[in-house]
Amino acid sequence: MTDCSVVDLLSGKFSVGQVVKVKGWVRTRRDSKAGISFVAVYDGSCFDAIQAVVPNSLSNYEEVLRLTTGCSVMITGEVVESPGQGQAFEIQATGVEVIGWVEDPDTYPMAAKRHTVEFLREHAHLRPRTNLIGAVARVRNSLAQAIHRFYHERGYIWVSTPIITASDTEGAGEMFRVSTLDLENLPRNDQDAVDFSQDFFGKESFLTVSGQLNAETYACALSKVYTFGPTFRAENSNTSRHLAEFWMMEPEVAFADLDDVAALAEDMLKYVFKAVLEERGDDMAFFAQRIEKQAISRLESFISKDFAQVDYTDAIEILLQSGRKFEMDVSWGIDMSSEHERYLAEEHFKAPVVVKNYPRDIKAFYMRQNDDGKTVAAMDVLAPGIGEIIGGSQREERLEVFDARLEEMGLNKEDYSWYRDLRRYGSVPHSGFGLGFERLVSYVTGMSNIRDVIPFPRAPKQADY
Amino acid sequence: MTDCSVVDLLSGKFSVGQVVKVKGWVRTRRDSKAGISFVAVYDGSCFDAIQAVVPNSLSNYEEVLRLTTGCSVMITGEVVESPGQGQAFEIQATGVEVIGWVEDPDTYPMAAKRHTVEFLREHAHLRPRTNLIGAVARVRNSLAQAIHRFYHERGYIWVSTPIITASDTEGAGEMFRVSTLDLENLPRNDQDAVDFSQDFFGKESFLTVSGQLNAETYACALSKVYTFGPTFRAENSNTSRHLAEFWMMEPEVAFADLDDVAALAEDMLKYVFKAVLEERGDDMAFFAQRIEKQAISRLESFISKDFAQVDYTDAIEILLQSGRKFEMDVSWGIDMSSEHERYLAEEHFKAPVVVKNYPRDIKAFYMRQNDDGKTVAAMDVLAPGIGEIIGGSQREERLEVFDARLEEMGLNKEDYSWYRDLRRYGSVPHSGFGLGFERLVSYVTGMSNIRDVIPFPRAPKQADY
């Protein structure tokens, strides 16, 4: 008797006639008048459940008749061809052992019926038991694995950039403080301000908003690196597109310019989409059926097309000449909103678009200044169906240009001394981008609320589990 | 002309006579009296540098004569066989373009000489440029990639458990608080206590110390999962073995008992050690030469031996009968210290050892009680040369036993309601373990201070960069 997973059984790894043992949870049970029960058992290894055909000759058949959704069972029996549609094999059960009952099935939150995503979110510890969230978890894993594989195959080194940081960076206003100070007895300094020198890290410390600056230090030593880890925003916005805690993937490449990393972004996205279509056809079929009709076709289309490339300045021209009335007015200098981005990708180019060379005033201090004095070597990748999915730039590697920009923005040179060192010692052109991992999972699955594509979402007033 | 990496050149991917372009940093320069300079260039793709042979006929040869360690260069030339020892190929340079100079080479912190690890730690942004820390980064990456590959090949799903949590768990005393409250104007409630309901998450929130409890929720739905992410300890200990922020890998397996996960731990460790020996032979040779003589041989020995298995009770007996005087006295019930663990692995068994079934009083509340009433199904994996490297357990899946244990320990049932749900609805036996990733990198490389195997270490008074 061989222990086996549902995916191995359904994919024919065991031959008809073999005696097997399967462990999992009951999805549904149906009893026929002929004294046979059909018990569908899942174990998370794939979307589908395996059907066990249970005869009433089993000594504990009365237990079988009490099985409900969510009960854990161990089923032994023979692999047989399935006469029914939809699956090739089933199990002719010779034994059903109940491992764990469901206490009070009538109130079991995950009973076999359609639940709203809002209801599931309130039961984040049980929702992976549903078809929907189980499929999300498998697709999320498939994407993460493909990302690591893509970079590893190309000689990139995964670098773990710090989560806690006392480094002064942009956007400190939206950062979470990390502290062990006793709030009932805050230490004070001479000026009667809170004395962070007595805090754990000896300085006021925060959760990171991006690993980029740290990743640059490793790219300027090892050439090709990437980060993949959690990042944080203390933004008080309760929307379907924001999380306080999310995973970010950021490659950083020495000797690469903006076009190089635009090409990298294209290769990477196509690689991971191919992987998920190959590995998770079952789950993707479910998403196409239940969540977003285009789930599969839009990935296929994405893979098959060359990315369009357009300068920000030309993109603005396209929008102005579109004859379209946008909610937000178009003019050179605006930070494009979702409606503009989607028009470009979905209607004008009908393909993923890389928009390049944005106005410097709407972009970060570290981006490389172009010769026109007005724009920086920044890019966004816009995908049909979602808009911006990747943002990146070439970094300013010229010390004197960087310093002038710091001064212009009123930032303190001392705070960037280690970052400036990269420009003082063997500086190289380098570029990178960031991909919000949950945005990616959301795009692939078609799940419209980002809180449903991360196991335990963190948002304002929400840090349970 | 083909762009190529140093590793591709040295491994013979380009044939003799081919014209190539290499981009990287100068490790050393040596000038011969015959008017030829030998410039060693590294790019992080492997341990070794490629030697460029530069003739004084180059128009910018005076620039070449000013090259120092750390300068970034682009070298073009022809691949030739190297007459020297140690490498098969070198480049006969026809062009050397200096991309970035080193400002004031005399004070460049990473000049080509041996630095102490303490000095390197104070220059964490530049230290990946050294042979030592570059090698650590590649080995660390190789281990991380192997971990993901190992689990993915076996159908495990990577689950990202939350970093911020308001969940009450053990050890809250050593947790970092995460907050956006204004410390100069702390909100107070009716009882004049700090009012965390006004904090970002509406509750006092912390950085996670382990993803295990969350991972259990996914294992009890998808069977086989693992986490790999950062975890935190606000322990005020400044030792070579502790970090405030470190990465942890935790598999969690449904329908698995303690022996199953002990076998999983053995398979996993052997798999990743094989991978690193295969992929990073160059870096491992360096560690064996410079850091820890046994670096390679102890991994080979680890891979070739079956793990020994011993009950805690028998292990105590072995220690008592060893005739050895330990600093800490041995008796049943003690939490073994490193000297005991290393005696067992290095002297008694001369192999990795799994110690099982520890006294319940020294272990966590969630571990499964054994029938003897005195021990729990916990295990530690002890490795020769380091001691404990993995800790795990079978989890208590029986609701009534779990509840009795909570009561005994004075813990509040309500605080564990979602964890108890896993035992109320289709409960299954399940087990898992935790591996501190930096401990693993430390073991493999022989680096004795854990702060040298993570890019930007966090410890008391240390959160720079």
Side-chain angles (χ1 to χ4, degrees), chain A residues 43 72 125 140 145 160 163-164 179 184 188 197 200 203 223 226 245 421 427 458 461 464, chain B residues 43 72 125 140-141 145 160 163-164 177 179 184 188 200 203 223 226 245 421 427 458 461 464:
Chain A
D43 66 358
S72 51
H125 62 307
R140 183 179 165 98
Q145 300 287 350
S160 44
I163 309 302
I164 301 170
S179 170
E184 299 297 351
R188 299 277 168 182
S197 75
F200 189 91
K203 283 183 191 179
S223 299
Y226 73 105
E245 171 183 318
D421 275 358
S427 188
R458 268 69 185 106
K461 309 292 173 208
D464 291 336
Chain B
D43 67 358
S72 50
H125 62 306
R140 184 179 165 97
N141 172 60
Q145 300 287 350
S160 44
I163 309 301
I164 300 170
R177 186 187 301 107
S179 170
E184 300 296 350
R188 301 272 168 184
F200 188 92
K203 283 186 190 177
S223 299
Y226 73 105
E245 171 183 318
D421 276 357
S427 188
R458 269 66 183 106
K461 308 293 172 207
D464 291 336

Side-chain angles (χ1 to χ4, degrees), chain B residues 133-153:
Chain B
I133 303 299
V136 168
R138 281 184 298 270
V139 165
R140 184 179 165 97
N141 172 60
S142 177
L143 288 166
Q145 300 287 350
I147 285 170
H148 285 300
R149 220 159 50 231
F150 174 84
Y151 286 109
H152 190 49
E153 287 171 0

Side-chain angles (χ1 to χ4, degrees), chain B residues 203-272:
Chain B
K203 283 186 190 177
E204 192 170 13
S205 303
F206 302 94
L207 292 179
T208 185
V209 296
S210 158
Q212 179 202 316
L213 305 195
N214 299 88
E216 284 184 53
T217 68
Y218 269 64
C220 291
L222 304 169
S223 299
K224 299 193 288 185
V225 304
Y226 73 105
T227 72
F228 191 18
T231 48
F232 305 85
R233 293 282 186 290
E235 227 176 311
N236 207 342
S237 48
N238 246 317
T239 80
S240 64
R241 292 162 55 97
H242 291 88
L243 287 168
E245 171 183 318
F246 57 100
W247 285 66
M248 186 119 93
M249 193 277 300
E250 301 175 285
E252 190 70 35
V253 197
F255 303 102
D257 64 18
L258 193 64
D259 288 333
D260 292 328
V261 290
L264 180 71
E266 180 167 353
D267 288 348
M268 191 271 299
L269 287 172
K270 289 180 174 177
Y271 181 99
V272 302

Side-chain angles (χ1 to χ4, degrees), chain B residues 143-391:
Chain B
L143 288 166
Q145 300 287 350
I147 285 170
H148 285 300
R149 220 159 50 231
F150 174 84
Y151 286 109
H152 190 49
E153 287 171 0
R154 282 154 190 77
Y156 283 72
I157 293 168
W158 172 69
V159 173
S160 44
T161 46
I163 309 301
I164 300 170
T165 178
S167 191
D168 286 282
T169 50
E170 35 154 11
E174 295 182 347
M175 290 168 92
F176 289 102
R177 186 187 301 107
V178 175
S179 170
T180 56
L181 288 180
D182 177 0
L183 296 187
E184 300 296 350
N185 286 294
L186 284 175
R188 301 272 168 184
N189 61 18
D190 295 350
Q191 287 82 50
D192 202 37
V194 174
D195 184 5
F196 288 107
S197 75
Q198 295 187 42
D199 205 348
F200 188 92
F201 295 109
K203 283 186 190 177
E204 192 170 13
S205 303
F206 302 94
L207 292 179
T208 185
V209 296
S210 158
Q212 179 202 316
L213 305 195
N214 299 88
E216 284 184 53
T217 68
Y218 269 64
C220 291
L222 304 169
S223 299
K224 299 193 288 185
V225 304
Y226 73 105
T227 72
F228 191 18
T231 48
F232 305 85
R233 293 282 186 290
E235 227 176 311
N236 207 342
S237 48
N238 246 317
T239 80
S240 64
R241 292 162 55 97
H242 291 88
L243 287 168
E245 171 183 318
F246 57 100
W247 285 66
M248 186 119 93
M249 193 277 300
E250 301 175 285
E252 190 70 35
V253 197
F255 303 102
D257 64 18
L258 193 64
D259 288 333
D260 292 328
V261 290
L264 180 71
E266 180 167 353
D267 288 348
M268 191 271 299
L269 287 172
K270 289 180 174 177
Y271 181 99
V272 302
F273 291 164
K274 265 183 217 160
V276 82
L277 289 176
E278 274 168 30
E279 290 181 7
R280 298 269 44 109
D282 56 348
D283 296 313
M284 289 305 297
F286 173 76
F287 289 119
Q289 187 203 326
R290 277 274 303 278
I291 302 297
E292 161 64 58
K293 264 192 204 151
Q294 313 292 323
I296 293 176
S297 59
R298 74 181 178 190
L299 293 191
E300 289 171 338
S301 159
F302 195 107
I303 292 165
S304 68
K305 281 182 184 151
D306 286 338
F307 282 20
Q309 309 263 343
V310 64
D311 250 47
Y312 169 90
T313 302
D314 297 330
I316 291 294
E317 204 52 41
I318 289 168
L319 293 172
L320 286 171
Q321 304 201 345
S322 65
R324 180 68 60 101
K325 180 79 193 129
F326 294 106
E327 280 186 35
M328 187 181 132
D329 284 345
V330 175
S331 65
W332 197 97
I334 61 162
D335 201 356
M336 284 184 218
S337 66
S338 183
E339 54 173 344
H340 307 130
E341 295 173 344
R342 295 188 62 165
Y343 174 82
L344 291 170
E346 291 163 26
E347 304 193 43
H348 187 83
F349 290 104
K350 297 184 171 56
V353 196
V354 184
V355 181
K356 294 183 289 196
N357 301 314
Y358 281 80
R360 68 201 284 265
D361 292 342
I362 58 170
K363 290 291 181 182
F365 69 95
Y366 51 72
M367 296 187 180
R368 193 179 198 276
Q369 314 252 350
N370 289 324
D371 292 342
D372 62 15
K374 294 189 307 182
T375 62
V376 287
M379 69 157 186
D380 279 354
V381 178
L382 316 180
I386 194 170
E388 187 202 326
I389 191 159
I390 276 177

Side-chain angles (χ1 to χ4, degrees), chain A residues 84-159:
Chain A
Q85 274 198 319
Q87 57 181 8
F89 304 100
E90 57 189 31
I91 296 178
Q92 184 60 47
T94 53
V96 174
E97 188 184 331
V98 183
I99 308 287
W101 292 100
V102 164
E103 184 187 298
D104 190 9
D106 291 341
T107 63
Y108 178 47
M110 298 294 117
K113 60 169 187 182
R114 282 212 192 181
H115 303 284
T116 65
V117 287
E118 291 77 17
F119 177 85
L120 293 179
R121 229 172 278 149
E122 285 163 20
H123 298 82
H125 62 307
L126 299 175
R127 67 177 180 166
R129 300 174 177 211
T130 62
N131 282 338
L132 181 65
I133 303 298
V136 169
R138 281 184 298 270
V139 165
R140 183 179 165 98
N141 173 60
S142 179
L143 289 166
Q145 300 287 350
I147 286 171
H148 285 299
R149 223 160 47 231
F150 174 84
Y151 287 109
H152 190 49
E153 287 170 0
R154 282 153 189 78
Y156 283 71
I157 293 169
W158 171 70
V159 173

